[in-house]
Amino acid sequence: NAGVMQNPRHLVRRRGQEARLRCSPMKGHSHVYWYRQLPEEGLKFMVYLQKENIIDESGMPKERFSAEFPKEGPSILRIQQVVRGDSAAYFCASSPPGASGLVNNEQFFGPGTRLTVL
Amino acid sequence: GIQVEQSPPDLILQEGANSTLRCNFSDSVNNLQWFHQNPWGQLINLFYIPSGTKQNGRLSATTVATERYSLLYISSSQTTDSGVYFCAVESYNTDKLIFGTGTRLQVFP
Protein backbone atom coordinates (compact mmCIF):
# COMPACT_ATOMS: atom_id res chain seq x y z
CA ASN A 1 0.00 0.00 0.00
CA ALA A 2 2.36 2.69 -1.24
CA GLY A 3 1.95 6.19 0.03
CA VAL A 4 2.47 9.40 -1.91
CA MET A 5 5.64 9.13 -3.97
CA GLN A 6 7.83 12.05 -4.94
CA ASN A 7 10.97 12.18 -7.01
CA PRO A 8 13.63 13.18 -7.01
CA ARG A 9 14.15 13.46 -3.27
CA HIS A 10 16.95 15.95 -3.77
CA LEU A 11 17.52 18.19 -6.77
CA VAL A 12 20.36 20.62 -7.39
CA ARG A 13 20.07 23.22 -10.14
CA ARG A 14 22.10 26.23 -11.21
CA ARG A 15 20.42 29.60 -11.58
CA GLY A 16 18.53 29.79 -14.87
CA GLN A 17 17.96 26.05 -15.25
CA GLU A 18 14.62 24.27 -15.10
CA ALA A 19 13.42 22.07 -12.25
CA ARG A 20 10.82 19.31 -12.69
CA LEU A 21 9.33 17.73 -9.59
CA ARG A 22 7.14 14.63 -9.82
CA CYS A 23 4.39 13.36 -7.57
CA SER A 24 2.42 10.12 -7.74
CA PRO A 25 -0.63 10.19 -5.44
CA MET A 26 -1.71 7.34 -3.21
CA LYS A 27 -3.55 4.56 -5.00
CA GLY A 28 -7.18 5.53 -5.48
CA HIS A 29 -6.55 9.23 -4.84
CA SER A 30 -7.38 11.72 -7.58
CA HIS A 31 -6.74 15.03 -5.82
CA VAL A 32 -3.19 16.40 -5.70
CA TYR A 33 -1.86 19.41 -3.81
CA TRP A 34 1.57 21.06 -3.89
CA TYR A 35 3.03 22.95 -0.92
CA ARG A 36 6.32 24.76 -0.45
CA GLN A 37 8.34 24.97 2.76
CA LEU A 38 11.04 27.61 2.97
CA PRO A 39 13.81 27.01 5.54
CA GLU A 40 12.58 27.34 9.14
CA GLU A 41 9.01 28.06 8.04
CA GLY A 42 5.69 26.24 7.80
CA LEU A 43 4.23 24.84 4.61
CA LYS A 44 2.47 27.17 2.19
CA PHE A 45 -0.18 26.03 -0.30
CA MET A 46 0.70 26.44 -3.98
CA VAL A 47 -1.80 24.60 -6.18
CA TYR A 48 -4.61 22.02 -6.13
CA LEU A 49 -5.22 19.77 -9.12
CA GLN A 50 -7.50 16.98 -10.20
CA LYS A 51 -6.89 14.86 -13.28
CA GLU A 52 -6.35 17.24 -16.24
CA ASN A 53 -7.69 20.22 -14.27
CA ILE A 54 -6.18 22.96 -12.13
CA ILE A 55 -8.77 23.67 -9.43
CA ASP A 56 -6.99 26.33 -7.33
CA GLU A 57 -3.65 27.94 -8.15
CA SER A 58 -4.00 30.88 -5.79
CA GLY A 59 -0.68 30.10 -4.09
CA MET A 60 1.42 29.79 -7.24
CA PRO A 61 3.87 32.55 -8.13
CA LYS A 62 2.63 34.32 -11.25
CA GLU A 63 5.74 33.67 -13.29
CA ARG A 64 8.04 30.70 -13.92
CA PHE A 65 5.92 28.17 -12.00
CA SER A 66 3.43 25.76 -13.58
CA ALA A 67 1.75 22.51 -12.58
CA GLU A 68 -0.09 19.74 -14.35
CA PHE A 69 -1.75 16.45 -13.51
CA PRO A 70 -2.27 14.58 -16.80
CA LYS A 71 -4.76 11.79 -17.41
CA GLU A 72 -1.89 9.30 -17.28
CA GLY A 73 1.24 9.64 -15.17
CA PRO A 74 2.34 11.69 -12.21
CA SER A 75 1.65 15.30 -11.37
CA ILE A 76 4.50 17.63 -12.37
CA LEU A 77 5.53 20.90 -10.75
CA ARG A 78 7.76 22.81 -13.15
CA ILE A 79 9.94 25.76 -12.23
CA GLN A 80 11.58 27.58 -15.12
CA GLN A 81 14.71 29.73 -14.84
CA VAL A 82 15.22 28.91 -11.16
CA VAL A 83 16.61 31.54 -8.79
CA ARG A 84 18.23 31.11 -5.36
CA GLY A 85 14.95 32.08 -3.66
CA ASP A 86 13.32 28.95 -5.11
CA SER A 87 15.47 26.80 -2.83
CA ALA A 88 12.98 25.03 -0.58
CA ALA A 89 11.31 21.73 0.18
CA TYR A 90 8.36 21.02 -2.11
CA PHE A 91 5.75 18.66 -0.74
CA CYS A 92 2.97 16.92 -2.60
CA ALA A 93 -0.19 15.67 -0.90
CA SER A 94 -3.14 13.64 -2.12
CA SER A 95 -6.69 12.98 -0.97
CA PRO A 96 -9.43 10.61 -2.10
CA PRO A 97 -11.97 11.39 -4.84
CA GLY A 98 -15.03 13.29 -3.67
CA ALA A 99 -12.87 14.79 -0.89
CA SER A 100 -14.34 18.25 -0.44
CA GLY A 101 -17.03 19.97 1.52
CA LEU A 102 -18.25 17.85 4.38
CA VAL A 103 -16.72 14.47 3.49
CA ASN A 104 -13.43 13.16 4.85
CA ASN A 105 -10.79 15.18 3.05
CA GLU A 106 -7.67 14.14 4.91
CA GLN A 107 -4.52 14.93 2.98
CA PHE A 108 -1.55 12.56 2.96
CA PHE A 109 1.90 13.92 2.27
CA GLY A 110 4.86 12.60 0.35
CA PRO A 111 8.48 12.77 1.55
CA GLY A 112 9.15 16.01 -0.33
CA THR A 113 11.72 17.15 -2.90
CA ARG A 114 14.48 19.35 -1.57
CA LEU A 115 15.50 21.81 -4.26
CA THR A 116 18.81 23.62 -3.96
CA VAL A 117 19.64 26.38 -6.41
CA LEU A 118 23.32 27.22 -6.69
CA GLY B 1 -7.97 34.48 5.23
CA ILE B 2 -8.02 32.14 8.20
CA GLN B 3 -5.22 32.56 10.74
CA VAL B 4 -3.63 29.62 12.56
CA GLU B 5 -1.53 30.16 15.68
CA GLN B 6 0.37 27.51 17.58
CA SER B 7 1.84 27.64 21.04
CA PRO B 8 4.34 27.32 22.49
CA PRO B 9 6.79 27.97 19.64
CA ASP B 10 9.49 25.93 21.37
CA LEU B 11 9.36 23.21 23.99
CA ILE B 12 12.22 21.37 25.69
CA LEU B 13 11.42 18.25 27.68
CA GLN B 14 13.17 15.46 29.47
CA GLU B 15 12.27 11.94 28.43
CA GLY B 16 9.15 10.73 30.23
CA ALA B 17 7.53 14.15 30.59
CA ASN B 18 4.06 15.01 29.30
CA SER B 19 3.19 18.03 27.15
CA THR B 20 0.26 19.87 25.59
CA LEU B 21 0.50 21.73 22.29
CA ARG B 22 -2.19 24.20 21.31
CA CYS B 23 -3.60 25.36 17.96
CA ASN B 24 -5.95 28.34 17.70
CA PHE B 25 -7.74 29.20 14.47
CA SER B 26 -9.71 32.28 13.52
CA ASP B 27 -12.71 30.84 11.62
CA SER B 28 -14.85 27.71 11.25
CA VAL B 29 -13.01 24.80 9.67
CA ASN B 30 -13.93 21.77 7.61
CA ASN B 31 -10.69 19.90 8.27
CA LEU B 32 -8.00 19.99 10.93
CA GLN B 33 -4.91 17.83 10.87
CA TRP B 34 -1.90 17.44 13.16
CA PHE B 35 1.47 16.52 11.67
CA HIS B 36 4.91 15.65 13.02
CA GLN B 37 7.86 16.74 10.90
CA ASN B 38 10.79 14.64 12.03
CA PRO B 39 14.42 15.82 11.99
CA TRP B 40 14.82 14.31 8.51
CA GLY B 41 12.06 16.55 7.17
CA GLN B 42 9.38 13.90 6.67
CA LEU B 43 5.82 14.98 7.39
CA ILE B 44 3.89 12.33 9.28
CA ASN B 45 0.10 12.38 9.68
CA LEU B 46 -0.85 12.20 13.35
CA PHE B 47 -4.55 13.01 13.46
CA TYR B 48 -7.40 14.05 11.21
CA ILE B 49 -9.61 15.74 13.79
CA PRO B 50 -12.03 18.51 12.71
CA SER B 51 -13.91 17.89 15.96
CA GLY B 52 -13.94 15.57 18.96
CA THR B 53 -11.20 13.51 20.59
CA LYS B 54 -8.94 10.79 19.23
CA GLN B 55 -6.16 8.73 20.76
CA ASN B 56 -3.29 6.84 19.19
CA GLY B 57 -0.89 5.26 21.66
CA ARG B 58 0.89 7.97 23.66
CA LEU B 59 -0.67 10.72 21.56
CA SER B 60 -4.16 12.12 21.76
CA ALA B 61 -5.89 15.16 20.30
CA THR B 62 -9.00 17.16 21.03
CA THR B 63 -10.65 19.76 18.81
CA VAL B 64 -13.33 22.10 20.19
CA ALA B 65 -14.63 23.48 16.92
CA THR B 66 -17.10 25.91 18.51
CA GLU B 67 -14.25 27.56 20.44
CA ARG B 68 -11.81 27.32 17.54
CA TYR B 69 -8.93 25.47 19.11
CA SER B 70 -7.29 22.07 19.11
CA LEU B 71 -4.91 20.44 21.58
CA LEU B 72 -2.31 17.73 21.01
CA TYR B 73 -1.24 15.76 24.08
CA ILE B 74 2.02 13.83 24.19
CA SER B 75 2.47 11.57 27.18
CA SER B 76 5.68 9.87 28.38
CA SER B 77 7.70 11.66 25.72
CA GLN B 78 10.60 9.89 24.00
CA THR B 79 13.60 11.26 22.13
CA THR B 80 12.00 10.09 18.88
CA ASP B 81 9.17 12.56 19.50
CA SER B 82 11.60 15.40 18.72
CA GLY B 83 10.81 17.54 15.69
CA VAL B 84 8.25 20.15 14.70
CA TYR B 85 4.53 19.67 15.24
CA PHE B 86 2.23 21.42 12.79
CA CYS B 87 -1.47 22.07 12.97
CA ALA B 88 -3.18 22.69 9.61
CA VAL B 89 -6.76 23.70 8.89
CA GLU B 90 -9.02 23.91 5.89
CA SER B 91 -11.88 26.42 5.67
CA TYR B 92 -15.27 25.54 4.21
CA ASN B 93 -15.44 25.97 0.42
CA THR B 94 -11.69 25.67 0.01
CA ASP B 95 -9.49 22.63 -0.44
CA LYS B 96 -6.17 23.92 0.80
CA LEU B 97 -4.57 23.40 4.17
CA ILE B 98 -3.36 26.48 6.03
CA PHE B 99 -0.47 25.57 8.29
CA GLY B 100 0.44 27.09 11.63
CA THR B 101 4.02 28.13 12.38
CA GLY B 102 4.63 24.96 14.36
CA THR B 103 5.90 23.95 17.79
CA ARG B 104 9.51 22.78 17.88
CA LEU B 105 9.88 19.98 20.43
CA GLN B 106 13.19 18.71 21.74
CA VAL B 107 13.20 15.70 24.03
CA PHE B 108 16.44 14.93 25.88
CA PRO B 109 17.35 11.62 27.51
Side-chain angles (χ1 to χ4, degrees), chain A:
Chain A
N1 219 3
V4 179
M5 310 275 285
Q6 290 189 247
N7 67 81
R9 296 290 303 276
H10 300 272
L11 183 61
V12 179
R13 285 287 178 266
R14 296 191 181 279
R15 280 179 297 170
Q17 292 184 317
E18 178 179 288
R20 279 186 182 236
L21 288 61
R22 293 173 186 78
C23 168
S24 296
M26 283 179 72
K27 188 174 181 180
H29 285 191
S30 57
H31 297 218
V32 165
Y33 313 80
W34 287 93
Y35 294 83
R36 177 165 65 175
Q37 186 178 31
L38 295 171
E40 304 299 320
E41 293 188 12
L43 281 74
K44 298 280 197 302
F45 168 80
M46 298 181 75
V47 61
Y48 161 43
L49 309 104
Q50 296 177 18
K51 286 283 187 182
E52 299 184 281
N53 283 305
I54 297 174
I55 307 301
D56 181 353
E57 56 181 348
S58 58
M60 287 277 270
K62 293 285 185 278
E63 297 177 348
R64 302 188 297 108
F65 285 71
S66 62
E68 62 176 6
F69 188 16
K71 190 176 179 182
E72 302 290 337
S75 175
I76 307 285
L77 179 67
R78 183 181 177 210
I79 311 172
Q80 295 178 287
Q81 297 176 319
V82 296
V83 301
R84 290 222 172 103
D86 296 333
S87 295
Y90 291 83
F91 288 91
C92 169
S94 71
S95 64
S100 63
L102 298 177
V103 298
N104 186 326
N105 49 350
E106 183 175 5
Q107 294 186 22
F108 296 85
F109 281 75
T113 293
R114 276 145 190 86
L115 172 66
T116 302
V117 180
L118 301 177

Side-chain angles (χ1 to χ4, degrees), chain B residues 22-25 32 34 50 62-71 73:
Chain B
R22 187 175 179 103
C23 171
N24 292 332
F25 43 97
L32 188 146
W34 282 98
T62 295
T63 297
V64 183
T66 52
E67 297 187 21
R68 298 182 185 168
Y69 72 88
S70 183
L71 302 174
Y73 306 97

